Amino acid sequence: MSEEKEVLLSVSHLKKYFKVGRNATLKAVDDVSFQIYKGETLGMVGESGCGKTTCGRTCIGLYDRTDGQVLYDGKDVHTISGKEKQNFKKKVQMVFQDPYGSLDPRMTVAEIIGEGIDIHHLAKDKKERQDMIYHYLELVGLTMEHANRFVHEFSGGQRQRIGIARALAVQPEFIVLDEPISALDVSIQAQIVNLLVDLQKKMGLTYLFVAHDLSMVKHISDRVAVLYLGTLVELTTSKELYENPQHPYTQALLSAIPIPDPEIEQERDANKIRLAGEVPSPINTPPGCKFRGRCQYATEQCAKEMPPLTDIGNEHYVACYRCRKN
């Protein structure tokens, strides 16, 4: 009998809408449900503008929800207050996409990392505070000599390491990684991903890894959620998704992953799935399945109602009328 997984974050029918103009509403996250288990990495992928970042921020309370529920360790993220909310802010952190814009240029590295330690009163004196700062710098591959420098003195990869150290300094359980490698050089990306994997093993962390680089998502994720126009269209284990993609959108995404071998890539080029049509506006989404305007398999049923996320077996969930339980 397999060991039952412990749910850390549970998202139910989450919606996050933004008012744009007098009568328009942008549906950034539209009725999304999923769970994240303790100690795992859930990858969240999709095209730019699909709602990945908004979903991650709403899950940890940086954005207020429009509707739905987010439970962290059984408690509603959007209704907790007082000491409970302060404790939640300590347990949950975020590493932002832009290592240049997410760090205060007027603060030294020690001040950036020490800020969270001070807010949550994690050090009993200045010596312990300093030791903690040095410890977290060392954890992310930097040294104590870096502590008194300013962020403009560092490369992009080093700045992202500082951002990770800042998140770790409050001893969190869960970290939202918002495209943490997309602004970095390709040569540095693998280093940061390997660092995140190593930290997860050492500290028992749980990640929501938001990205559009599907090869990196495969490397780091236990399960993968695919978003299209704010809607979850496929959710399964990383192995199952890459070996047996079911949703037409997922199949198109995976077929577009480049292979670093010109001969193989040239052979694959003829078999790549090229989506026709334009991505609908998230302000005026069409009725039915949001993907139907670009889908070669669309039927009349697809135009009437958005297909529900359905369990087709083997921990595989798909929002498509073509897919049925095995």
Side-chain angles (χ1 to χ4, degrees):
M1 185 175 176
S2 62
E3 187 179 338
E4 191 173 342
K5 298 173 185 175
E6 182 182 347
V7 175
L8 186 65
L9 187 84
S10 179
V11 179
S12 302
H13 304 291
L14 183 64
K15 296 180 181 180
K16 177 58 186 176
Y17 297 169
F18 295 96
K19 287 287 183 186
V20 286
R22 187 172 297 176
N23 299 311
T25 301
L26 189 153
K27 297 179 179 180
V29 179
D30 196 15
D31 199 12
V32 167
S33 299
F34 60 89
Q35 294 178 327
I36 299 179
Y37 302 114
K38 194 167 186 177
E40 81 161 342
T41 297
L42 177 70
M44 186 169 282
V45 301
E47 294 168 294
S48 296
C50 71
K52 305 184 299 292
T53 294
T54 301
C55 185
R57 293 187 177 201
T58 309
C59 284
I60 61 173
L62 290 182
Y63 291 155
D64 289 331
R65 66 188 171 190
T66 300
D67 198 5
Q69 187 180 59
V70 181
L71 299 180
Y72 182 85
D73 214 6
K75 295 179 180 177
D76 193 322
V77 168
H78 296 97
T79 60
I80 55 174
S81 59
K83 194 171 183 180
E84 271 191 342
K85 189 165 188 177
Q86 186 76 353
N87 192 37
F88 171 75
K89 288 180 177 179
K90 177 181 174 295
K91 289 180 178 179
V92 174
Q93 289 293 299
M94 188 165 189
V95 174
F96 297 91
Q97 177 179 2
D98 181 10
Y100 299 90
S102 61
L103 302 173
D104 191 333
R106 297 165 296 181
M107 298 171 71
T108 64
V109 170
E111 289 170 337
I112 289 169
I113 298 173
E115 191 174 28
I117 296 172
D118 297 340
I119 290 170
H120 294 284
H121 311 291
L122 299 176
K124 63 178 182 288
D125 53 40
K126 287 185 178 180
K127 175 68 168 59
E128 186 176 29
R129 179 182 185 272
Q130 185 182 63
D131 289 344
M132 289 177 72
I133 291 168
Y134 292 162
H135 169 69
Y136 289 112
L137 280 172
E138 186 179 331
L139 262 184
V140 299
L142 299 174
T143 67
M144 57 188 292
E145 283 76 25
H146 293 120
N148 293 318
R149 297 184 189 176
F150 291 89
V151 293
H152 72 267
E153 300 177 60
F154 296 90
S155 67
Q158 288 175 319
R159 292 182 198 191
Q160 198 59 289
R161 289 174 188 269
I162 294 165
I164 294 168
R166 174 177 61 181
L168 296 176
V170 297
Q171 300 157 13
E173 300 172 339
F174 177 59
I175 301 179
V176 175
L177 301 160
D178 180 20
E179 302 205 36
I181 58 172
S182 64
L184 306 178
D185 292 341
V186 174
S187 59
I188 305 299
Q189 290 180 357
Q191 294 177 22
I192 297 298
V193 167
N194 289 335
L195 171 65
L196 292 168
V197 171
D198 186 48
L199 290 170
Q200 185 176 41
K201 290 176 182 175
K202 284 181 180 175
M203 306 176 73
L205 297 167
T206 304
Y207 293 149
L208 173 60
F209 186 80
V210 175
H212 60 259
D213 185 334
L214 288 156
S215 56
M216 282 297 183
V217 169
K218 181 181 181 181
H219 177 67
I220 195 173
S221 302
D222 298 293
R223 293 185 302 138
V224 181
V226 182
L227 257 62
Y228 183 78
L229 270 186
T231 301
L232 191 59
V233 296
E234 191 156 5
L235 172 65
T236 186
T237 63
S238 179
K239 184 176 187 294
E240 173 73 7
L241 187 88
Y242 284 83
E243 292 181 357
N244 186 31
Q246 290 293 307
H247 197 281
Y249 176 61
T250 309
Q251 293 170 354
L253 285 179
L254 294 180
S255 81
I257 298 176
I259 292 177
D261 185 318
E263 291 184 9
I264 297 176
E265 185 63 20
Q266 191 171 8
E267 289 176 14
R268 286 178 72 244
D269 192 62
N271 297 317
K272 284 186 178 179
I273 300 171
R274 291 170 172 81
L275 298 176
E278 296 293 325
V279 181
S281 167
I283 298 172
N284 298 305
T285 50
C289 177
K290 295 180 179 181
F291 186 65
R292 66 183 176 84
R294 305 172 74 192
C295 181
Q296 60 179 317
Y297 308 109
T299 65
E300 289 183 12
Q301 185 183 19
C302 302
K304 294 175 183 175
E305 189 178 359
M306 181 69 195
L309 196 67
T310 304
D311 183 0
I312 63 168
N314 200 26
E315 297 183 76
H316 201 150
Y317 300 83
V318 188
C320 181
Y321 290 122
R322 291 177 64 241
C323 303
R324 297 289 182 267
K325 191 176 179 67
N326 295 332

